[in-house]
Amino acid sequence: GAGPRDAEGCPRRRTAAGDVSKDPSNMSVSRPRSISMSSAGRSSQKGRRPSFLNDKGEVRLVENGFDLTPLPLLVDEAPPEAVAEAAVEREVETTTQNDDEEETGTLWSSSYYSESGSDEESVEKVVVPPVVTLLTESPTETLLCIRGRCVAVDAKEVKSVEKANVAYEASLDLKKNNPDKYVTRHAQTLNAPLKDRGSVTAPPSSASAGTQATTWDISDCIAQAVAEEEAELASRRPGTASKQQRINRNVYQNTSKVVAASKASPDFLLDVSEDRVESKAEKIKPSVREVPIQRDIQGPERALLKEKFSRNMTGKPMAFSCAAMERCVQQNLFHERQMNYRAFAEKPAVEDELEAAEEVEDVEASIPERGSSVEALWSWEAPMTKNRRVTCMAWNKHREDVLAVGYNGVVEDGGLPTDGGLVLFWSLRNPGYPERVASLESGCSSIAFSAKNPHLLAVGLMDGAVYIYDVRQKTLQPTPVFDSRSLKNAHAEPVWSVAWVDKGEDKGEVLVTASTDGRVLEWTLQKGLEASCLMVLKQLGDAEGVISRTASGLCLDIPGDDPALYLTACEDGTIHKCSDAYAEQYLESYTGHTGPVYKVRSSPYDPKVFLSCSADWTVKLWTQASQKPSASFRSEGSSPLNDVVNDVCWSPRASTQFALVGGDGRVEIWDVAHSLLDPVVREQPLVEPPPSADAPPPTPSTTIVDSSPPEPPAPVSVAATSCLFADNAPVLVVGDASGSVTCYKCVNLPEAPPTKKLQLSALEAALASDEAQG
């Protein structure tokens, strides 16, 4: 019979104590302590179910109490009620298994299910242990992290971020205060270098072929060609074209089509706006201005040839070639005067020497002694400089034969300038026409070449602008490379003086300018054109009743011994010694002039000695150690100087000589060691006045009173405005108010000491004698 069962039909098993307990699950774990099976027992197992089958008949793989049966690939989802019951049953089975292990101490390795069964045999099911799955978090791997630019207020790193921001703001303030230690640059990613790969191909196959032709073969070929041409002419009807003419006509038609299509294309670059169809008479008529063109060239070919001719005649190569040829012609015309410029004596011809020896063989010719004088060699003038006032001049430091001249606007009938100024670059190679012409929007007031960079020219204008030119430009009309018009702190009034100063390796070469707006500015070119104020000039004395104490600066000079010092003169007649280290006060002030001071020039031999010229008709000699002038110079006697002195300059050949030019047109050269009362050279150039437009025309008369021609007008003098000695020749150049620059050669001036030390001693001796006489 069957074993004991409960009310629900579940089988019961006997425990070690002999009682029967209810099995809450369909399958329980039980192991018999000993298994002995006889033949009778084996026969009774035929009707039992194997241990690897469960209640549903599914195959289960159990080893050491663990269910190792693989899960199916597709599992039907059970309803929630079945899932809940299975969970409860699994919990009960686990509890029962633990109780059995406590009672028996071992797990049974196998059990059998008996359908007929008896109370003595325990029928049990295999219990499947639960499979526990533990889910844990895997380690985080960061592939890309982009930190935000903002930090939350409640974050931990708020204080460190605020501290870094404060330090960055402080560095920006430091950059504004001292910009020389900070440089703003752009960063550029470097590209990997490219590699060139070349390949070699097999050369194309070639073969040599040759033949021999005798003179008889050549003669036969030529005769055959002539015979064919004659036969064609004989067979051709009158009025028809030959074969070659037909070919030429077809080529012409095809070429005309190609040229017309090219002109209609938007990519056509030639300018044919002036091209037109000419008549037959115009084609035959010769033109003087045009290059002779073959008459058989017609249509497109003629247009292309004309365009090429126009491009060649108006291009830069032609302009520079013409300039070179013009130099050659001018040097032929000015050869003797240019040799005189260099102080090279012309060697007389052999015939002249022989004639002179025959005539005066026994008579000794007495050569009269000639005094000091100046000899006019030529004048640099052009049509564009007529009625323009020469305001300033400067020699190039490297090319000492190149002279830059600044001109004001055109002045007619004593009025104001009507247009802008000019800067012309004159050369000894071509005294007839300037090498370069720079047009300005306003009149030119001052110019200066750089000593460290001789290709740079600084130009000060009447409207307060400052231009920097690069004379290396391959053009006849250069344009400024730097312009101060866009700067807010630029000058607002005429810039009367510009000077280059070398400040050493830190700052390099800078430009210093003085203007009538009362400011002295320093310009740097390292980061573009930038200006900084060195000094605001102020009037001396009591300021009571004065609207503004700002003084107008008229000139500036840099002594050669100290680049930090500079001399500036004002409209009130005072001269100030200043330093770029003191922007609020003068180091020294020199008073003595009673009118505006137009120029201040330091001596090239002793920087502590300087000259000044003024509108009070005098030139004064100063030393930096004394606030009063050491000497005053003004022409007296038969031709006194009763006009303004516009400019003064030191001689580079003698430490005691200088030149001045006056408003009455005079040119004087003084030698301090020779005389303090009279100049060694006085020149008064006179020019013929131009015809006046306001003069009334002569009235007609029937009776002739005097048949003699009218007397020409008396020559007049033109105001001399600027003067400058040449460094490489005994030459003085003088500019006037009519736009002419005259080149004078200095003749028989007092000899100067041969060495610089003796030159300095001569200057000191002259100053000592001046102080003794004063």
Side-chain angles (χ1 to χ4, degrees):
R5 296 178 178 268
D6 58 1
E8 298 177 358
C10 295
R12 294 177 177 272
R13 67 179 180 85
R14 295 181 181 274
T15 61
D19 54 348
V20 179
S21 62
K22 180 182 177 181
D23 190 355
S25 61
N26 295 331
M27 302 176 68
S28 60
V29 179
S30 62
R31 290 187 180 181
R33 292 184 175 86
S34 62
I35 298 176
S36 61
M37 187 174 297
S38 61
S39 61
R42 295 189 185 94
S43 61
S44 62
Q45 299 293 333
K46 293 180 181 180
R48 296 183 179 180
R49 184 171 49 191
S51 61
F52 51 83
L53 297 178
N54 57 8
D55 296 341
K56 298 179 181 181
E58 297 176 349
V59 178
R60 310 295 296 178
L61 179 60
V62 179
E63 183 177 354
N64 296 332
F66 295 97
D67 188 2
L68 303 180
T69 305
L71 297 177
L73 296 178
L74 297 178
V75 180
D76 296 334
E77 186 175 349
E81 296 81 5
V83 173
E85 291 179 359
V88 172
E89 291 176 358
R90 188 178 297 107
E91 182 178 0
V92 173
E93 290 175 0
T94 303
T95 306
T96 306
Q97 179 181 358
N98 294 337
D99 296 341
D100 294 342
E101 291 176 358
E102 292 177 358
E103 293 176 0
T104 59
T106 59
L107 290 176
W108 295 0
S109 60
S110 61
S111 63
Y112 298 91
Y113 178 80
S114 175
E115 295 181 356
S116 59
S118 62
D119 295 342
E120 290 80 15
E121 286 183 319
S122 60
V123 180
E124 299 168 353
K125 297 181 180 180
V126 177
V127 177
V128 179
V131 178
V132 180
T133 303
L134 179 62
L135 300 179
T136 59
E137 183 179 0
S138 61
T140 303
E141 296 182 359
T142 303
L143 300 181
L144 177 64
C145 178
I146 301 177
R147 300 184 61 183
R149 299 177 62 89
C150 301
V151 180
V153 180
D154 55 348
K156 296 180 179 180
E157 59 270 14
V158 171
K159 294 184 179 180
S160 61
V161 172
E162 291 180 350
K163 186 177 180 181
N165 291 340
V166 171
Y168 180 72
E169 295 293 338
S171 64
L172 291 181
D173 295 339
L174 184 61
K175 177 181 178 182
K176 295 178 181 178
N177 297 332
N178 191 1
D180 293 335
K181 294 185 178 180
Y182 293 85
V183 178
T184 302
R185 294 180 179 174
H186 297 281
Q188 182 180 7
T189 303
L190 298 179
N191 298 324
L194 302 180
K195 296 182 178 180
D196 297 334
R197 177 177 296 176
S199 61
V200 180
T201 59
S205 58
S206 61
S208 299
T211 184
Q212 291 183 353
T214 62
T215 56
W216 295 277
D217 297 335
I218 298 174
S219 178
D220 294 342
C221 291
I222 294 176
Q224 183 180 359
V226 172
E228 291 179 356
E229 186 176 356
E230 292 178 354
E232 182 184 358
L233 291 176
S235 62
R236 182 161 49 92
R237 292 177 299 176
T240 60
S242 63
K243 182 178 180 181
Q244 185 64 32
Q245 290 178 350
R246 291 195 301 270
I247 294 175
N248 294 340
R249 184 173 56 191
N250 293 335
V251 171
Y252 174 76
Q253 292 177 357
N254 295 334
T255 305
S256 301
K257 293 180 181 179
V258 172
V259 172
S262 300
K263 289 182 179 180
S265 175
D267 300 332
F268 190 69
L269 302 178
L270 295 178
D271 185 11
V272 293
S273 58
E274 298 181 358
D275 188 22
R276 60 186 179 86
V277 180
E278 298 179 351
S279 63
K280 186 175 181 180
E282 291 177 346
K283 294 177 182 178
I284 298 175
K285 182 179 179 181
S287 178
V288 178
R289 297 184 179 180
E290 295 182 357
V291 176
I293 302 176
Q294 299 179 8
R295 295 183 180 181
D296 57 346
I297 300 178
Q298 303 294 335
E301 295 182 4
R302 184 182 180 89
L304 294 176
L305 185 60
K306 183 178 179 181
E307 181 65 27
K308 183 178 180 181
F309 171 75
S310 177
R311 183 171 63 252
N312 292 338
M313 293 301 295
T314 58
K316 291 183 179 180
M318 176 60 70
F320 283 101
S321 299
C322 293
M325 291 302 301
E326 185 180 11
R327 290 178 183 175
C328 297
V329 174
Q330 293 291 346
Q331 288 182 11
N332 290 334
L333 296 176
F334 289 87
H335 177 68
E336 294 183 1
R337 283 172 283 183
Q338 288 177 348
M339 295 291 288
N340 199 8
Y341 178 95
R342 296 293 189 192
F344 294 153
E346 284 287 339
K347 185 176 182 180
V350 178
E351 293 79 3
D352 297 340
E353 292 181 355
L354 293 176
E355 292 178 0
E358 291 177 357
E359 292 178 358
V360 285
E361 184 176 359
D362 299 329
V363 179
E364 294 182 359
S366 61
I367 301 175
E369 293 184 1
R370 183 179 178 184
S372 301
S373 62
V374 291
E375 178 184 349
L377 298 178
W378 62 76
S379 294
W380 284 298
E381 56 185 354
M384 64 189 72
T385 64
K386 186 178 181 180
N387 295 331
R388 292 181 181 270
R389 182 185 180 93
V390 177
T391 56
C392 49
M393 298 183 296
W395 291 102
N396 189 272
K397 308 299 182 183
H398 181 64
R399 301 290 184 181
E400 296 181 347
D401 291 336
V402 176
L403 177 66
V405 182
Y407 299 85
N408 207 344
V410 177
V411 178
E412 296 181 357
D413 300 333
L416 296 176
T418 57
D419 61 348
L422 296 174
V423 175
L424 303 185
F425 297 87
W426 296 97
S427 175
L428 183 63
R429 301 177 181 178
N430 185 7
Y433 198 81
E435 298 289 336
R436 302 284 190 275
V437 178
S439 301
L440 307 176
E441 298 181 4
S442 180
C444 179
S445 55
S446 58
I447 57 177
F449 273 109
S450 171
K452 192 174 183 179
N453 302 301
H455 59 276
L456 296 181
L457 176 69
V459 180
L461 276 64
M462 289 292 184
D463 60 355
V466 176
Y467 287 171
I468 306 294
Y469 284 91
D470 189 349
V471 298
R472 297 176 300 179
Q473 298 179 8
K474 299 296 183 180
T475 176
L476 298 178
Q477 296 181 351
T479 56
V481 294
F482 293 106
D483 186 357
S484 67
R485 294 183 184 274
S486 60
L487 301 180
K488 296 182 180 180
N489 58 344
H491 289 295
E493 296 185 18
V495 181
W496 290 109
S497 183
V498 293
W500 293 91
V501 185
D502 189 2
K503 294 290 182 127
E505 297 181 356
D506 295 338
K507 283 190 175 182
E509 194 172 29
V510 300
L511 181 68
V512 182
T513 59
S515 172
T516 50
D517 61 2
R519 292 186 300 161
V520 178
L521 300 183
E522 181 181 274
W523 305 80
T524 59
L525 306 179
Q526 294 179 351
K527 305 175 184 178
L529 194 61
E530 297 180 352
S532 59
C533 184
L534 292 181
M535 173 72 72
V536 177
L537 303 177
K538 297 180 181 179
Q539 297 181 3
L540 299 177
D542 191 5
E544 184 178 356
V546 178
I547 299 177
S548 176
R549 293 194 59 186
T550 303
S552 300
L554 297 182
C555 60
L556 179 79
D557 189 72
I558 309 296
D561 58 344
D562 190 356
L565 301 179
Y566 58 93
L567 298 172
T568 179
C570 302
E571 194 175 10
D572 57 359
T574 57
I575 303 172
H576 305 290
K577 178 182 176 182
C578 309
S579 174
D580 56 4
Y582 300 94
E584 299 295 333
Q585 60 182 357
Y586 306 125
L587 299 182
E588 292 289 346
S589 296
Y590 308 94
T591 58
H593 285 290
T594 58
V597 179
Y598 292 142
K599 282 293 184 290
V600 174
R601 306 284 190 183
S602 296
S603 172
Y605 293 93
D606 188 358
K608 297 181 180 179
V609 179
F610 60 93
L611 288 169
S612 63
C613 64
S614 173
D616 59 1
W617 307 349
T618 62
V619 173
K620 297 186 182 299
L621 180 63
W622 308 78
T623 59
Q624 295 184 10
S626 176
Q627 297 182 356
K628 297 298 180 180
S630 300
S632 181
F633 306 94
R634 181 191 172 197
S635 295
E636 300 290 349
S638 60
S639 179
L641 175 60
N642 296 327
D643 209 331
V644 58
V645 181
N646 288 318
D647 198 0
V648 64
C649 62
W650 287 95
S651 172
R653 294 176 173 268
S655 61
T656 58
Q657 296 176 7
F658 64 90
L660 62 89
V661 291
D664 57 353
R666 71 175 59 206
V667 179
E668 296 180 353
I669 298 179
W670 290 72
D671 192 338
V672 180
H674 184 268
S675 175
L676 299 177
L677 301 178
D678 296 318
V680 294
V681 174
R682 181 187 291 113
E683 182 74 12
Q684 188 89 26
L686 301 176
V687 296
E688 295 182 1
S692 176
D694 299 333
T699 57
S701 177
T702 57
T703 61
I704 300 176
V705 180
D706 189 4
S707 60
S708 60
E711 295 182 359
V716 297
S717 61
V718 180
T721 57
S722 181
C723 63
L724 191 63
F725 278 101
D727 294 334
N728 60 346
V731 169
L732 176 67
V733 292
V734 177
D736 56 30
S738 64
S740 176
V741 178
T742 306
C743 180
Y744 293 99
K745 179 186 177 183
C746 302
V747 181
N748 293 334
L749 291 181
E751 293 184 1
T755 62
K756 185 176 180 180
K757 185 176 181 180
L758 296 178
Q759 293 267 19
L760 185 58
S761 300
L763 180 58
E764 293 176 353
L767 292 175
S769 63
D770 294 344
E771 294 177 358
Q773 293 179 7

